[in-house]
């Protein structure tokens, strides 16, 4: 077969791939059941984190009303967990945005661009074929890495979700017991405690156990919502460095450690 005809056929094939990727494939990817299930899972985690945030705030207020020196530090530690919940929420919203935007960008931008560069590589720019192959490989990683990392995190989360449910139940139970204390003035607290089946000491013990449950729940959420999903981003960053020679972490290090970046390296 004539070489020119071969180039024309390959170019037409690349145009067809770009058109299919931009129109039907991108639409199918956006409406895929896997994407919807992953987004629903992220929404469920977001709702759980919001419940934990509000429950911990109410529990902290109730625990601070328990007489004694033990309850106040527990209430303060419980209130400090709000910062961790905010970080987890930020990561969850970022994951949802990446899952939505990168999936659409892969089929509507990256693949058509790779096909266009591939056509240039066939006709006028020989290195374009290699660049097109790198972009195609990177696109495949984007399409696969993030969903797989989210699926792994969902599997781990399902294993430990019962622990988070127990934390919410324990928090609600303790809130019901400390609600009269939070609403009463100091002169009535002793009489209220006398009517309760639990003493101030036992309520403090329950508060300490609740704090432990919250710490465990935060650890579970950090692992399943932050660390495991970031494995996909680490793979993408490694591919960018390997394929295109662009070290993303080298650009981040001066921001994370400006003093070290500004320090002159000693001469050998």
């Amino acid at each position: 077969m004539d070489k020119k005809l071969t180039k024309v056929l390959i170019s037409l094939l690349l145009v067809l791939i770009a058109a299919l990727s931009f129109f039907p494939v991108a639409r199918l990817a956006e409406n895929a059941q896997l994407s919807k299930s992953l987004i629903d899972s992220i929404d469920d985690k977001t709702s759980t984190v919001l419940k934990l945030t509000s429950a911990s705030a109410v529990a902290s207020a109730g625990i601070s009303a328990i007489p004694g020196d033990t309850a106040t530090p527990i209430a303060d530690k419980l209130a400090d967990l709000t910062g961790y919940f905010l970080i987890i929420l930020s990561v969850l919203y970022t994951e949802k945005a990446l899952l939505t935007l990168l999936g659409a960008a892969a089929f509507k931008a990256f693949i058509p661009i790779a096909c266009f560069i591939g056509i240039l590589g066939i006709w006028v720019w020989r290195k374009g074929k290699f660049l097109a192959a790198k972009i195609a490989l990177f696109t495949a990683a984007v399409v696969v890495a993030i969903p797989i990392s989210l699926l792994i995190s969902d599997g781990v989360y399902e294993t430990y979700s019962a622990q988070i449910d127990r934390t919410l139940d324990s928090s609600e139970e303790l809130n019901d017991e400390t609600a009269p204390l939070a609403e009463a003035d100091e002169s009535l607290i002793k009489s209220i405690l006398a009517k309760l089946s639990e003493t101030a000491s036992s309520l403090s013990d329950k508060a300490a156990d609740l704090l432990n449950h919250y710490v465990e729940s935060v650890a579970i959420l950090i692992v399943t919502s932050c660390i495991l999903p970031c494995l996909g981003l680490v793979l993408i960053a490694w591919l960018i460095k390997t394929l295109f020679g662009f070290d993303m972490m080298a650009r981040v290090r001066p921001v994370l450690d400006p003093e070290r970046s500004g320090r002159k390296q000693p001469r050998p």
Side-chain angles (χ1 to χ4, degrees):
M1 184 181 293
D2 185 71
K3 289 185 177 180
K4 187 173 182 180
L5 179 58
T6 302
K7 291 182 178 180
V8 171
L9 291 177
I10 295 175
S11 300
L12 291 175
L13 178 61
L14 291 175
V15 171
L16 178 61
I17 292 174
L20 290 175
S21 175
F22 188 86
F23 293 106
V25 177
R27 191 176 297 109
L28 288 174
E30 291 175 356
N31 298 326
Q33 187 63 35
L34 177 60
S35 298
K36 290 182 178 179
S37 63
L38 290 176
I39 290 176
D40 290 340
S41 175
I42 293 174
D43 290 337
D44 291 339
K45 290 179 185 177
T46 302
S47 176
T48 300
V49 174
L50 291 174
K51 290 178 182 178
L52 286 170
T53 304
S54 60
S56 64
V58 175
S60 177
I63 292 171
S64 62
I66 300 175
D69 298 331
T70 307
T72 301
I74 296 175
D76 293 339
K77 292 293 183 181
L78 203 57
D80 291 341
L81 294 179
T82 303
Y84 293 97
F85 290 134
L86 180 60
I87 294 174
I88 296 170
L89 275 177
S90 301
V91 173
L92 286 172
Y93 285 123
T94 303
E95 290 172 9
K96 186 175 181 180
L98 288 176
L99 184 63
T100 304
L101 297 177
L102 287 182
F107 295 105
K108 289 187 176 181
F110 296 155
I111 291 180
I113 289 173
C115 292
F116 176 74
I117 295 176
I119 293 173
L120 291 179
I122 292 173
W123 292 98
V124 296
W125 185 32
R126 296 182 61 182
K127 292 183 179 180
K129 292 183 288 186
F130 300 101
L131 180 58
K134 291 179 179 181
I135 295 175
L137 181 59
F138 171 74
T139 303
V142 169
V143 172
V144 174
I146 293 179
I148 287 181
S149 62
L150 290 177
L151 285 173
I152 294 173
S153 68
D154 286 346
V156 177
Y157 178 79
E158 289 296 327
T159 304
Y160 296 98
S161 59
Q163 173 63 37
I164 296 177
D165 293 335
R166 284 195 295 270
T167 300
L168 289 171
D169 293 338
S170 300
S171 182
E172 184 177 356
E173 180 183 347
L174 185 61
N175 290 340
D176 292 338
E177 295 184 12
T178 58
L181 299 178
E183 296 173 358
D185 54 36
E186 295 184 0
S187 62
L188 296 177
I189 287 179
K190 291 184 179 180
S191 62
I192 292 174
L193 286 176
K195 295 178 182 178
L196 292 173
S197 59
E198 302 289 339
T199 63
S201 177
S202 61
L203 286 176
S204 297
D205 293 338
K206 279 192 173 185
D209 291 337
L210 180 63
L211 178 61
N212 292 333
H213 289 319
Y214 267 100
V215 171
E216 291 176 359
S217 298
V218 168
I220 292 170
L221 288 170
I222 288 177
V223 171
T224 58
S225 301
C226 301
I227 296 178
L228 290 179
C230 285
L231 294 178
L233 298 179
V234 171
L235 175 60
I236 291 173
W238 176 79
L239 275 176
I240 291 175
K241 179 181 178 181
T242 304
L243 297 175
F244 305 106
F246 180 79
D247 191 354
M248 297 178 66
M249 294 307 298
R251 303 300 189 274
V252 175
R253 288 187 197 107
V255 178
L256 296 179
D257 193 359
E259 294 183 359
R260 190 172 183 179
S261 63
R263 192 181 307 158
K264 293 183 178 179
Q265 297 294 331
R267 294 182 179 180

